[in-house]
Amino acid sequence: MKAEITTEEKIKVAAAKVFTKKGYAATKTRDIAEEANINIASLHYYYRSKEKLFQIVIGEALGTFSQIMDDIFCSELPLHEKIKEFVIQYIDFFSANPYLPIFIVSESQNNPDKINKILKNDQTIMNLRKELELLHEMKVIRQIQPAQFFLNLISLTAFPFLAKPLISKKMDLSDNDYVSILANRKKLIPDMMINFLYYEQP
Amino acid sequence: MKAEITTEEKIKVAAAKVFTKKGYAATKTRDIAEEANINIASLHYYYRSKEKLFQIVIGEALGTFSQIMDDIFCSELPLHEKIKEFVIQYIDFFSANPYLPIFIVSESQNNPDKINKILKNDQTIMNLRKELELLHEMKVIRQIQPAQFFLNLISLTAFPFLAKPLISKKMDLSDNDYVSILANRKKLIPDMMINFLYYEQP
DNA sequence: AAAATATTTAATCATTTGATTAAATAGATT
DNA sequence: AATCTATTTAATCAAATGATTAAATATTTT
């Protein structure tokens, strides 16, 4: 029953937790060391610097985040099923990692370069473009730019996680209220997307 | 032709600029002093501390942000015109202040208390609730929770500003592309919202 | 103009923070 | 077991940072 977790891994997990919650600038290497229960020198022993450790953490965060959509849009599901899958999977993912959306969005503003390598899956966008064009030619859906389609989908899905404190206050909602609202959005968002896109509901 | 701007004001303007762009933790008082072209001691002379200055800046940011929606939802416009106004005004506002959405969202995570005083306009939400209920009873729109309505509207409008770096990379868009996409959303978002809500398009 | 008050400035302080060092300990290899 | 390598630790460093001080300068009041 030995916990098979190395110091190196412990540090990365702790770093992910603290960086994700507080952001790069507000995170102190000592916060990470404390969270990981290790000496601060071990952090540098394994990862050299705060910056290098951060790059690893944000790289993995972006990778995971990106993988979900790439898998869905490269799948053989019909468009309306892709939409549903997208919403369900990301709402579940963000519910399990509530600080991730704001972390990714915040830090990607300061790391515009780092994003390049990870976030670019041309296949995903090419597939999406083809599919939207084809369905429009077949008079199944209205004409829409892939960027607009994608923005609609991800905006409706991700923003409620980003703005939870704001919306909760403004709307006077409890945490439970908010969970229930998010659950309802698993159906509402696809309904709205499909209602807008399709000439006849599939 | 004298520039009638006091040191005190210069500092606040500079602070707003730097805080908004870099966030609280990454902003150094010396950054603000340099941006304002003043001695660092003047900052403390007028505002006592970095924290106090920050509270003023974020307070004004939240106030401006909130005022726009309160004005619209407390107006006498019909719902579909409110939607259009909301989208147009916020897209213009965020275009002029591109760092504001992410600043508000990021810092409101760390300042959940500060939000209370500023962001709560019960009138706005009460009006919205009443209007949605009434229009539903009149069989003009489908039934929808005010929170879901509001989330849809603000998500579609604000998120594209938050995620500009991410989306630009993923979709391979230039800055000009993005400006044009945002402009198109002034029509697309109300179309989508109204299409979903109204049984018959108004 | 003189005195009083307000503002600006350079210098400095104490703490925090990312990083390093060198010694101690643990683990592997011979 | 003895030697060598890898890991962990306490102590420390240098730079950065929020804040203050006291003197210099500007502005207002008398």
Side-chain angles (χ1 to χ4, degrees), chain A residues 17 36 40 43 48 52 83 90 102 110 138 145 147 176 184 192 194:
Chain A
K17 182 168 175 186
I40 201 176
L43 188 152
R48 298 293 305 278
K52 290 225 171 64
I83 293 171
Y90 274 109
I102 198 161
N110 316 323
M138 291 164 63
Q145 289 181 327
N176 275 344
N184 288 342
M192 192 169 168
I194 289 166

Side-chain angles (χ1 to χ4, degrees), chain A residues 7 30 37-42 45-46:
Chain A
T7 300
R30 282 162 177 82
N37 261 305
I38 52 103
N39 188 286
I40 201 176
S42 296
Y45 176 76
Y46 286 106

Side-chain angles (χ1 to χ4, degrees), chain B residues 7 30 38-39 41-42 45-46:
Chain B
T7 300
R30 283 161 177 81
I38 52 103
N39 188 285
S42 295
Y45 177 75
Y46 286 106

Side-chain angles (χ1 to χ4, degrees), chain B:
Chain B
M1 202 51 84
K2 170 108 177 291
E4 198 51 67
I5 181 154
T6 63
T7 300
E8 190 170 5
E9 187 69 14
K10 261 201 318 190
I11 293 170
K12 196 173 70 182
V13 170
K17 182 168 176 184
V18 182
F19 275 137
T20 303
K21 177 160 184 192
K22 315 216 293 184
Y24 180 79
T27 293
K28 309 306 167 191
T29 51
R30 283 161 177 81
D31 299 341
I32 297 172
E34 189 179 1
E35 175 72 33
N37 260 305
I38 52 103
N39 188 285
I40 201 177
S42 295
L43 188 153
H44 292 92
Y45 177 75
Y46 286 106
Y47 295 97
R48 298 292 304 276
S49 71
K50 179 189 177 187
E51 175 66 25
K52 290 225 171 65
L53 177 53
F54 174 77
Q55 291 300 345
I56 290 169
V57 167
I58 194 166
E60 295 193 356
L62 275 172
T64 313
F65 168 74
S66 195
Q67 190 63 54
I68 294 176
M69 70 176 75
D70 289 339
D71 285 350
I72 293 171
F73 279 113
C74 292
S75 76
E76 293 299 319
L77 292 170
L79 183 65
H80 62 275
E81 292 293 341
K82 284 178 179 149
I83 293 171
K84 288 177 190 170
E85 268 303 296
F86 184 101
V87 172
I88 288 170
Q89 288 208 31
Y90 273 108
I91 287 183
D92 285 343
F93 178 61
F94 291 148
S95 294
N97 306 277
Y99 294 117
L100 211 63
I102 197 162
F103 173 68
I104 291 177
V105 158
S106 289
E107 302 299 343
S108 69
Q109 195 172 42
N110 315 324
N111 282 265
D113 1 301
K114 181 71 185 172
I115 303 174
N116 277 27
K117 306 164 198 165
I118 305 181
L119 212 64
K120 206 142 173 191
N121 184 334
D122 295 323
Q123 198 56 49
T124 299
I125 301 308
M126 242 169 36
N127 284 359
L128 178 58
R129 180 180 301 277
K130 286 268 166 59
E131 188 164 13
L132 291 176
E133 280 172 4
L134 180 65
L135 285 171
H136 176 62
E137 281 167 23
M138 292 166 62
K139 311 226 186 281
V140 175
I141 64 170
R142 75 167 67 202
Q143 186 165 40
I144 187 167
Q145 288 181 327
Q148 296 288 13
F149 171 87
F150 189 67
L151 272 174
N152 292 340
L153 187 54
I154 197 167
S155 297
L156 289 167
T157 306
F159 187 84
F161 290 90
L162 290 165
K164 187 188 165 201
L166 286 169
I167 304 287
S168 292
K169 288 301 168 206
K170 189 81 185 172
M171 296 264 146
D172 205 18
L173 302 168
S174 71
D175 277 9
N176 274 343
D177 291 340
Y178 216 81
V179 168
S180 139
I181 282 170
L182 290 172
N184 289 341
R185 290 182 77 73
K186 287 186 183 175
K187 175 157 170 27
L188 186 148
I189 296 172
D191 280 356
M192 193 167 167
M193 291 286 300
I194 290 167
N195 185 66
F196 179 67
L197 267 183
Y198 283 77
Y199 292 129
E200 288 180 32
Q201 307 309 301

